Amino acid sequence: MANQRYDVIVVGAGFAGVYALHKLRGLGQTVRVFEAGSGIGGTWFWNRYPGARCDIESMEYSYQFSAELQQDWEWTERYATQPEILNYINHVTDRFDLRGDIQLNTRVDSAHFDESTNRWAVNTSDGGEFDAKYVIMATGCLSSTNLPNFDGLDSFAGEWYHTGQWPHEPIDFSGKRVAVIGTGSSGIQCIPLIAEHVEQMTVFQRSPNFSIPAHNQPLDPDCVRERKASYPAFRAANKETAFHANFDYNEANAVDVSAEERVREYESRWASGGLPFLASFADLIFDADANATAADFIRGKIHELVDDPATAALLTPTSVVGCKRLCVDTNYYATFNRSNVTLVDVSDDPIKTITRVGLNTATREYAFDTLVFATGFDAMTGALAKIDIQGLAARTLQDAWKEGPKTYLGLAVAGFPNLFTVTGPGSPSVLTNMLPSIEHHVDWIADCIAYVDRKGVARIDATPEAQDAWVAHVNEVGASSLYPTCNSWYLGANIPGKPRVFMPYLGFPPYAEKCREVADSGYDGFTLTARG
Ligand code: FAD
Ligand code: N01
């Protein structure tokens, strides 16, 4: 296949890749997007399990780059379902005529920087050879599934599924004995719905999670009209908040108010539902005493919702609220009151092997027809680590990140010129409403590319000093919070052998300010090399 040249190659066709194509094409760049999947949508293409939906409100979990799109699109529910979100991104792709530049069923296997031409050589799974001045990794923070390395999976006689690679055809669970392994957001969303159809469900829980009721409902047309009337102001206000989302932030500290006031606040947040629970008090994620008041409140709710006290106790986390990503559910805890659902705690009796007929823990044997792995992702770095990326002096990204990911602003990596990451480690990404954070990154990258081209620059590379200072700052801010205190995927703790580093940057407004300063200064912290 002949070598094909582009200005920009984008890897991934989720929300980030699709918007990057639109934005860069608008700047006159020639762009090619490669997507491993057979359709666009990223997260919303792959995660088709029953109950999959966003837990940021639909009218926020949507693009804002086009006022007309924002006005025209009609979301139907407070939290959109996976099919609705997938329809939306397909609509955007067609509306802006993007499909022709997206090559599906094509995995990018390697990207090597050629120092003599200052261009990237990109190879794809179908034998394609491409080159481009810039590469944008829009590969997703939660796109590389984690299937624990249990012995014997090949021998299992039944069917098995991972929530993050769910089949496109409906699955008939009726009359089946089903095991669900994992109780993070994906497990918590799918367990209640799958339980309604199975003969018997066994949920294998290694750690319990805190979950807040979604109280999902159809959107009220009057509220929709009101929001649409002031959409830009609404979006602008959200940009000024820590989570880049409309969480109705309470400025008070939990430790400064009375116990009655705390309970009033938590009750009101529980009644309205969802992630804004995290914004109940300003010190919730920074002060262990404050956090304990929220944790105790949710623990009480779990005991109210679950009939069997022993099961309720097993479902009750002892950890910090929010330090693993807070879950949002519909009927999760109450599902354990069903006679066909059993909870098995595998914290001290881990799953050891998958057998022909089911699975074995260290001490017990279980028989199943179907296994559902809701075991999450190699988050933030997993998809990048699967690509053979070589920068200056043919150094691989795997080598550069062997002690944990290092980036400048989560946007660039020193020694990997002209390469950008969207919502990379070191940016607020997964601690925020990701859609506006994706747009923020793509806009910054597009401005940078336009500047570099305008100035006749051949190569832009983050300096190791700027990167080290940024990584130190990310760590310092993370360490001021309670986030590093539990074994979460934010820390890479869910993947055996992965370096333990708190990967996201906490706090959107200071981050956006820093990005603005860097751009306004002519890309402080980067080395710009003129065309030779
Ligand atoms: P993705 O959507 O992950 O897309 C990346 C794409 O890159 C994938 O399609 C993948 O196949 C492709 N790719 C990766 N490597 C290669 C390669 N080498 N070659 C070719 N293609 C490649 N965030 C929120 O803010 N709110 C929510 O409510 C929310 N809900 C979520 C629910 C689920 C079930 C999950 C898993 C995540 C959720 N997220 C949520 C996070 C979500 O991932 C982001 O909001 C957003 O969809 C990410 O978009 P993206 O384009 O950056 O990445
Ligand atoms: O993955 P997870 P997820 N034996 O890593 C367990 C987003 N998302 O797919 O906690 C037994 O959270 C593991 O146990 P432990 C959101 O950002 C959003 O659920 O490691 N169990 C855990 O219980 C979310 O945070 C939504 O002890 C094993 C579970 O598997 C992120 O995606 C919906 C195990 C994995 O939980 C990831 O969520 C879905 C083993 N060997 C996803 N290995 C919304 O609601 C792992 N586990 C918007």
Side-chain angles (χ1 to χ4, degrees):
M1 200 183 283
N3 185 322
Q4 297 174 61
R5 285 169 73 85
Y6 293 94
D7 295 326
V8 188
I9 283 178
V10 176
V11 189
F15 276 114
V18 165
Y19 179 50
L21 170 57
H22 172 68
K23 179 79 188 181
L24 288 157
R25 200 201 255 175
L27 295 179
Q29 303 275 331
T30 57
V31 187
R32 190 79 179 156
V33 182
F34 296 107
E35 167 54 56
S38 61
I40 62 152
T43 287
W44 306 103
F45 171 82
W46 295 106
N47 291 266
R48 297 164 182 257
Y49 58 83
R53 57 172 79 236
C54 58
D55 63 3
I56 294 279
E57 299 198 3
S58 327
M59 293 197 71
E60 281 189 77
Y61 191 71
S62 46
Y63 288 125
Q64 57 190 296
F65 68 82
S66 160
E68 295 76 22
L69 169 68
Q70 213 168 224
Q71 290 298 327
D72 291 351
W73 185 263
E74 298 290 348
W75 294 107
T76 61
E77 292 178 74
R78 180 182 184 188
Y79 300 111
T81 60
Q82 172 270 331
E84 192 169 21
I85 301 172
L86 192 59
N87 279 346
Y88 170 74
I89 187 166
N90 274 289
H91 166 80
V92 173
T93 304
D94 292 331
R95 183 178 179 126
F96 296 96
D97 192 24
L98 301 173
R99 217 170 277 277
D101 289 330
I102 303 175
Q103 189 167 320
L104 300 173
N105 299 306
T106 311
R107 179 169 288 282
V108 167
D109 289 332
S110 68
H112 294 177
F113 188 69
D114 181 336
E115 296 184 42
S116 65
T117 59
N118 290 311
R119 294 178 68 86
W120 285 91
V122 172
N123 283 26
T124 55
S125 51
D126 58 351
E129 294 177 3
F130 302 85
D131 90 6
K133 180 171 180 186
Y134 306 99
V135 170
I136 299 178
M137 292 295 176
T139 44
C141 293
L142 295 160
S143 59
S144 178
T145 49
N146 169 41
L147 185 64
N149 195 15
F150 299 127
D151 283 340
L153 186 54
D154 288 348
S155 70
F156 182 58
E159 280 158 349
W160 65 269
Y161 309 99
H162 190 291
T163 49
Q165 288 181 332
W166 201 260
H168 291 207
E169 308 72 39
I171 298 169
D172 183 5
F173 285 106
S174 54
K176 299 273 172 63
R177 297 160 305 161
V178 176
V180 180
I181 301 155
T183 52
S185 298
S186 303
I188 281 176
Q189 281 190 328
C190 71
I191 285 165
L193 286 170
I194 298 177
E196 288 174 8
H197 301 283
V198 302
E199 181 173 314
Q200 169 63 36
M201 172 182 280
T202 307
V203 176
F204 290 89
Q205 172 190 275
R206 189 165 67 180
S207 336
N209 261 308
F210 290 102
S211 188
I212 308 295
H215 299 309
N216 186 41
Q217 56 196 291
L219 280 170
D220 170 5
D222 289 337
C223 295
V224 171
R225 244 190 318 277
E226 209 176 293
R227 169 105 348 128
K228 285 190 174 180
S230 58
Y231 233 144
F234 173 74
R235 298 286 202 173
N238 294 343
K239 272 198 182 88
E240 300 306 320
T241 69
F243 297 109
H244 208 169
N246 176 34
F247 283 178
D248 187 16
Y249 300 80
N250 183 355
E251 301 290 314
N253 286 331
V255 294
D256 294 339
V257 303
S258 66
E260 293 72 30
E261 190 171 337
R262 279 196 296 267
V263 170
R264 233 189 342 267
E265 184 71 23
Y266 294 141
E267 285 290 4
S268 135
R269 301 262 171 178
W270 187 268
S272 53
L275 293 176
F277 191 91
L278 276 179
S280 302
F281 291 102
D283 54 353
L284 204 75
I285 203 65
F286 295 98
D287 182 311
D289 292 336
N291 195 282
T293 65
D296 282 345
F297 175 84
I298 304 176
R299 288 179 193 130
K301 289 290 182 193
I302 297 171
H303 280 270
E304 279 172 27
L305 288 166
V306 180
D307 297 339
D308 171 41
T311 306
L314 282 182
L315 286 166
T316 302
T318 52
S319 55
V320 163
V321 177
C323 125
K324 284 188 176 187
R325 191 183 185 279
L326 190 61
C327 301
V328 175
D329 73 280
T330 300
N331 296 331
Y332 175 63
Y333 293 118
T335 296
F336 293 90
N337 298 333
R338 295 178 66 101
S339 57
N340 68 338
V341 176
T342 309
L343 181 66
V344 174
D345 172 20
V346 289
S347 56
D348 290 328
D349 183 22
I351 298 169
K352 288 283 188 200
T353 47
I354 308 295
T355 63
R356 204 182 64 76
V357 296
L359 62 82
N360 293 349
T361 64
T363 65
R364 284 198 55 184
E365 296 181 2
Y366 298 86
F368 296 110
D369 304 303
T370 308
L371 306 178
V372 172
F373 293 94
T375 44
F377 301 89
D378 182 355
M380 304 201 74
T381 57
L384 291 167
K386 284 183 179 160
I387 307 173
D388 169 21
I389 302 173
Q390 296 185 18
L392 296 179
R395 187 176 191 198
T396 63
L397 188 70
Q398 284 92 331
D399 183 53
W401 284 7
K402 61 179 181 294
E403 284 149 16
K406 291 185 178 139
T407 70
Y408 186 37
L409 304 173
L411 282 158
V413 186
F416 296 81
N418 299 2
L419 179 133
F420 300 96
T421 49
V422 183
T423 62
S427 73
S429 62
V430 291
L431 296 181
T432 63
N433 172 6
M434 288 199 71
L435 258 196
S437 291
I438 284 169
E439 283 183 295
H440 170 262
H441 263 195
V442 170
D443 289 345
W444 191 97
I445 293 166
D447 287 347
C448 178
I449 287 177
Y451 178 89
V452 164
D453 285 357
R454 204 165 54 241
K455 294 282 178 186
V457 167
R459 182 196 286 190
I460 178 166
D461 192 9
T463 67
E465 296 75 24
Q467 178 169 279
D468 287 348
W470 180 250
V471 170
H473 177 61
V474 172
N475 289 336
E476 193 188 347
V477 175
S480 72
S481 75
L482 299 170
Y483 279 111
T485 62
C486 66
N487 290 323
S488 68
W489 59 255
Y490 294 138
L491 283 160
N494 62 329
I495 303 296
K498 191 166 171 174
R500 196 183 167 98
V501 175
F502 183 66
M503 292 183 281
Y505 179 70
L506 177 54
F508 187 77
Y511 174 76
E513 181 58 28
K514 171 76 180 172
C515 290
R516 196 166 28 244
E517 280 169 20
V518 168
D520 289 351
S521 67
Y523 297 91
D524 190 25
F526 287 91
T527 303
L528 280 66
T529 311
R531 241 174 249 136

